[in-house]
Amino acid sequence: MKLLAVVPLLGWLIGSPALATTIAMEDQSQLQMSTAAQSANTPFQPPHENELPDNAYGKLVMQGYALFVDTKRLAPDFVGNGLNCSNCHLDQGRLPNSSPLWGAYPMYPAYRKKNDKVNTFAERLQGCFQFSMNGGTPPAADSHEITALSVYAYWLASKAPLGVELAGRGYPEVPQPTKGYNLAQGAAVYKDQCALCHGAEGQGQKVGESYVMPPLWGKDSYNWGAGMHRINTAASFIKHNMPLGKGGSLTDQQAWDVAAYVNRHERPQDPRLVEGSVEKTRLKFHANDGVNLYGQTVDGVLIGQGIR
């Protein structure tokens, strides 16, 4: 069965407070990358489409795949901007160092500092809809959308070890340069390396009503609650994956500079906005959330006011 191209352990924590307090669960840092994963020269290889069975399971995997690459069109009630899942998880969620699904699925359930709770994979997907997709109320955990996307992720990870942090799992960290980032240099990098695809004003590119290149700021981009608003996260993604097809061609400094330039522009408001206050929201959610500009004043303008 071929995937069709889409147009446009358990009880040990219960009742054991003493043991629970000894377990460090800070964004999955309790799980160490295996020696095999660290030394592997060849990244994990997810299954091929010709391995899919021609049955209900295979059909649901295909539906999840379709939702993943064409999210805006197929899940319009839950996507409030111009993005698809595949804009941040490249090559249909397969590409190493682009937060591939095969690296994410086996690591859940897991604690997330972002919402201070242990999340299921379904809850993790819901967060993507709420923040990266700026979708407001996300699909229910038992909805067709979450089920299909979960099954697609499970299939890609079906040959992966459980709870092992595989090489290429996320966006490998790019340390902040000694002198920090430079917005003016970032503007120059953007003009030379990014504007051709994403537009001079970060508006992306459309064919008809559908984006073929995602917007990076403005009303159709990710909101201020999305992980990509962190300069360090965006820099890591950019360093390993951009410009498209030329990942690794930018220096660490260039990646940080252009990430800061992109994320100094306005985008939809953080849906967790506290009492209508950017400052209160910054203090509660952004002050200790990586390197970001939310709630800061840049060139005399308060960043994080949001855009409609």
mmCIF file of all heavy atoms in Angstrom, residues 19 24-25 53-54 59 72 77 79 107 110 122 149 163 176 196 200 237-238 251 280 282:
data_model
loop_
_atom_site.group_PDB
_atom_site.id
_atom_site.type_symbol
_atom_site.label_atom_id
_atom_site.label_comp_id
_atom_site.label_asym_id
_atom_site.label_seq_id
_atom_site.Cartn_x
_atom_site.Cartn_y
_atom_site.Cartn_z
ATOM 1 N N LEU A 19 10.319 7.680 47.089
ATOM 2 C CA LEU A 19 10.968 7.294 45.844
ATOM 3 C C LEU A 19 10.711 8.337 44.777
ATOM 4 O O LEU A 19 11.595 8.714 44.017
ATOM 5 C CB LEU A 19 10.463 5.924 45.383
ATOM 6 C CG LEU A 19 11.024 5.420 44.040
ATOM 7 C CD1 LEU A 19 12.538 5.360 44.107
ATOM 8 C CD2 LEU A 19 10.443 4.068 43.709
ATOM 9 N N ALA A 24 14.388 12.560 38.951
ATOM 10 C CA ALA A 24 14.421 13.856 38.266
ATOM 11 C C ALA A 24 13.620 13.747 36.970
ATOM 12 O O ALA A 24 13.978 12.991 36.084
ATOM 13 C CB ALA A 24 15.859 14.246 37.963
ATOM 14 N N MET A 25 12.530 14.480 36.885
ATOM 15 C CA MET A 25 11.691 14.406 35.697
ATOM 16 C C MET A 25 11.521 15.796 35.095
ATOM 17 O O MET A 25 10.468 16.394 35.110
ATOM 18 C CB MET A 25 10.331 13.803 36.035
ATOM 19 C CG MET A 25 10.406 12.368 36.507
ATOM 20 S SD MET A 25 8.801 11.598 36.706
ATOM 21 C CE MET A 25 8.273 11.454 35.000
ATOM 22 N N PRO A 53 0.352 -2.636 5.974
ATOM 23 C CA PRO A 53 -0.644 -3.655 5.618
ATOM 24 C C PRO A 53 -1.864 -3.021 4.971
ATOM 25 O O PRO A 53 -2.203 -1.859 5.226
ATOM 26 C CB PRO A 53 -1.006 -4.275 6.976
ATOM 27 C CG PRO A 53 -0.771 -3.178 7.963
ATOM 28 C CD PRO A 53 0.419 -2.425 7.440
ATOM 29 N N ASP A 54 -2.518 -3.775 4.122
ATOM 30 C CA ASP A 54 -3.722 -3.291 3.448
ATOM 31 C C ASP A 54 -4.936 -3.659 4.300
ATOM 32 O O ASP A 54 -5.714 -4.550 3.970
ATOM 33 C CB ASP A 54 -3.827 -3.917 2.054
ATOM 34 C CG ASP A 54 -4.966 -3.294 1.246
ATOM 35 O OD1 ASP A 54 -5.551 -2.297 1.711
ATOM 36 O OD2 ASP A 54 -5.267 -3.822 0.162
ATOM 37 N N LYS A 59 -4.858 1.867 6.688
ATOM 38 C CA LYS A 59 -5.668 3.009 6.239
ATOM 39 C C LYS A 59 -5.603 4.157 7.245
ATOM 40 O O LYS A 59 -5.550 5.333 6.862
ATOM 41 C CB LYS A 59 -7.116 2.569 6.022
ATOM 42 C CG LYS A 59 -7.323 1.666 4.809
ATOM 43 C CD LYS A 59 -8.789 1.305 4.654
ATOM 44 C CE LYS A 59 -9.032 0.517 3.366
ATOM 45 N NZ LYS A 59 -8.404 -0.818 3.414
ATOM 46 N N LYS A 72 -3.660 22.075 7.724
ATOM 47 C CA LYS A 72 -4.519 23.259 7.602
ATOM 48 C C LYS A 72 -5.800 22.939 6.838
ATOM 49 O O LYS A 72 -6.896 23.345 7.233
ATOM 50 C CB LYS A 72 -3.750 24.382 6.900
ATOM 51 C CG LYS A 72 -4.578 25.603 6.517
ATOM 52 C CD LYS A 72 -5.045 26.369 7.735
ATOM 53 C CE LYS A 72 -5.733 27.663 7.317
ATOM 54 N NZ LYS A 72 -6.247 28.424 8.469
ATOM 55 N N ASP A 77 -10.793 23.256 11.631
ATOM 56 C CA ASP A 77 -11.378 23.708 12.894
ATOM 57 C C ASP A 77 -10.336 23.819 14.009
ATOM 58 O O ASP A 77 -10.614 24.428 15.049
ATOM 59 C CB ASP A 77 -12.476 22.731 13.346
ATOM 60 C CG ASP A 77 -13.681 22.757 12.424
ATOM 61 O OD1 ASP A 77 -13.836 23.740 11.671
ATOM 62 O OD2 ASP A 77 -14.462 21.782 12.446
ATOM 63 N N VAL A 79 -6.800 24.491 13.311
ATOM 64 C CA VAL A 79 -5.600 25.194 12.859
ATOM 65 C C VAL A 79 -5.962 26.654 12.613
ATOM 66 O O VAL A 79 -6.783 26.955 11.740
ATOM 67 C CB VAL A 79 -5.029 24.558 11.572
ATOM 68 C CG1 VAL A 79 -3.805 25.340 11.100
ATOM 69 C CG2 VAL A 79 -4.663 23.096 11.806
ATOM 70 N N MET A 107 9.038 8.221 23.653
ATOM 71 C CA MET A 107 9.465 8.929 24.862
ATOM 72 C C MET A 107 8.299 9.402 25.720
ATOM 73 O O MET A 107 8.499 10.092 26.725
ATOM 74 C CB MET A 107 10.326 10.140 24.473
ATOM 75 C CG MET A 107 11.521 9.783 23.600
ATOM 76 S SD MET A 107 12.686 8.651 24.398
ATOM 77 C CE MET A 107 13.534 9.792 25.476
ATOM 78 N N ALA A 110 5.559 11.531 29.427
ATOM 79 C CA ALA A 110 6.721 12.215 29.969
ATOM 80 C C ALA A 110 6.302 13.527 30.624
ATOM 81 O O ALA A 110 5.303 14.135 30.230
ATOM 82 C CB ALA A 110 7.728 12.500 28.859
ATOM 83 N N ALA A 122 -0.881 11.949 23.189
ATOM 84 C CA ALA A 122 -2.058 12.671 22.700
ATOM 85 C C ALA A 122 -2.067 14.102 23.229
ATOM 86 O O ALA A 122 -2.371 15.050 22.489
ATOM 87 C CB ALA A 122 -3.336 11.943 23.112
ATOM 88 N N LEU A 149 -3.152 10.864 13.911
ATOM 89 C CA LEU A 149 -1.780 11.357 14.026
ATOM 90 C C LEU A 149 -0.961 10.475 14.967
ATOM 91 O O LEU A 149 0.220 10.209 14.714
ATOM 92 C CB LEU A 149 -1.781 12.803 14.518
ATOM 93 C CG LEU A 149 -2.242 13.855 13.502
ATOM 94 C CD1 LEU A 149 -2.464 15.196 14.190
ATOM 95 C CD2 LEU A 149 -1.224 14.004 12.370
ATOM 96 N N GLY A 163 11.565 4.293 25.153
ATOM 97 C CA GLY A 163 12.227 5.047 26.203
ATOM 98 C C GLY A 163 13.709 5.286 25.992
ATOM 99 O O GLY A 163 14.417 5.656 26.923
ATOM 100 N N GLN A 176 24.573 29.049 22.583
ATOM 101 C CA GLN A 176 24.542 30.471 22.289
ATOM 102 C C GLN A 176 25.959 30.995 22.103
ATOM 103 O O GLN A 176 26.858 30.699 22.903
ATOM 104 C CB GLN A 176 23.857 31.236 23.415
ATOM 105 C CG GLN A 176 23.695 32.724 23.129
ATOM 106 C CD GLN A 176 22.837 33.423 24.168
ATOM 107 O OE1 GLN A 176 22.455 32.825 25.168
ATOM 108 N NE2 GLN A 176 22.522 34.681 23.933
ATOM 109 N N LEU A 196 13.913 34.410 0.112
ATOM 110 C CA LEU A 196 13.502 33.823 -1.164
ATOM 111 C C LEU A 196 12.323 32.870 -0.979
ATOM 112 O O LEU A 196 11.398 32.842 -1.793
ATOM 113 C CB LEU A 196 14.681 33.086 -1.815
ATOM 114 C CG LEU A 196 14.391 32.407 -3.160
ATOM 115 C CD1 LEU A 196 14.039 33.454 -4.213
ATOM 116 C CD2 LEU A 196 15.606 31.588 -3.611
ATOM 117 N N ALA A 200 10.016 38.564 2.012
ATOM 118 C CA ALA A 200 10.773 39.653 2.623
ATOM 119 C C ALA A 200 10.201 40.060 3.967
ATOM 120 O O ALA A 200 10.923 40.522 4.852
ATOM 121 C CB ALA A 200 10.811 40.852 1.671
ATOM 122 N N PHE A 237 16.836 24.487 15.202
ATOM 123 C CA PHE A 237 16.123 24.028 14.011
ATOM 124 C C PHE A 237 16.768 24.583 12.749
ATOM 125 O O PHE A 237 17.009 23.863 11.776
ATOM 126 C CB PHE A 237 14.658 24.440 14.086
ATOM 127 C CG PHE A 237 13.881 24.150 12.819
ATOM 128 C CD1 PHE A 237 13.439 22.880 12.538
ATOM 129 C CD2 PHE A 237 13.608 25.163 11.915
ATOM 130 C CE1 PHE A 237 12.728 22.597 11.361
ATOM 131 C CE2 PHE A 237 12.899 24.903 10.736
ATOM 132 C CZ PHE A 237 12.474 23.618 10.470
ATOM 133 N N ILE A 238 17.032 25.877 12.758
ATOM 134 C CA ILE A 238 17.594 26.540 11.583
ATOM 135 C C ILE A 238 18.967 25.978 11.245
ATOM 136 O O ILE A 238 19.258 25.675 10.079
ATOM 137 C CB ILE A 238 17.665 28.064 11.819
ATOM 138 C CG1 ILE A 238 16.253 28.646 11.842
ATOM 139 C CG2 ILE A 238 18.517 28.749 10.754
ATOM 140 C CD1 ILE A 238 16.169 30.064 12.385
ATOM 141 N N THR A 251 26.594 29.165 10.021
ATOM 142 C CA THR A 251 27.386 29.055 11.241
ATOM 143 C C THR A 251 26.441 29.115 12.450
ATOM 144 O O THR A 251 25.288 29.520 12.333
ATOM 145 C CB THR A 251 28.402 30.194 11.355
ATOM 146 O OG1 THR A 251 27.697 31.444 11.494
ATOM 147 C CG2 THR A 251 29.292 30.256 10.116
ATOM 148 N N LYS A 280 2.660 40.007 33.118
ATOM 149 C CA LYS A 280 2.297 38.879 33.978
ATOM 150 C C LYS A 280 2.503 37.551 33.249
ATOM 151 O O LYS A 280 2.917 36.558 33.852
ATOM 152 C CB LYS A 280 0.854 39.018 34.443
ATOM 153 C CG LYS A 280 0.628 40.136 35.447
ATOM 154 C CD LYS A 280 -0.826 40.195 35.897
ATOM 155 C CE LYS A 280 -1.032 41.301 36.934
ATOM 156 N NZ LYS A 280 -2.452 41.391 37.375
ATOM 157 N N ARG A 282 4.707 37.064 30.852
ATOM 158 C CA ARG A 282 6.158 36.872 30.773
ATOM 159 C C ARG A 282 6.695 36.266 32.063
ATOM 160 O O ARG A 282 7.467 35.295 32.033
ATOM 161 C CB ARG A 282 6.856 38.214 30.510
ATOM 162 C CG ARG A 282 8.378 38.083 30.354
ATOM 163 C CD ARG A 282 9.059 39.443 30.338
ATOM 164 N NE ARG A 282 9.050 40.055 31.668
ATOM 165 C CZ ARG A 282 9.925 39.760 32.628
ATOM 166 N NH1 ARG A 282 10.872 38.849 32.424
ATOM 167 N NH2 ARG A 282 9.855 40.360 33.794
#
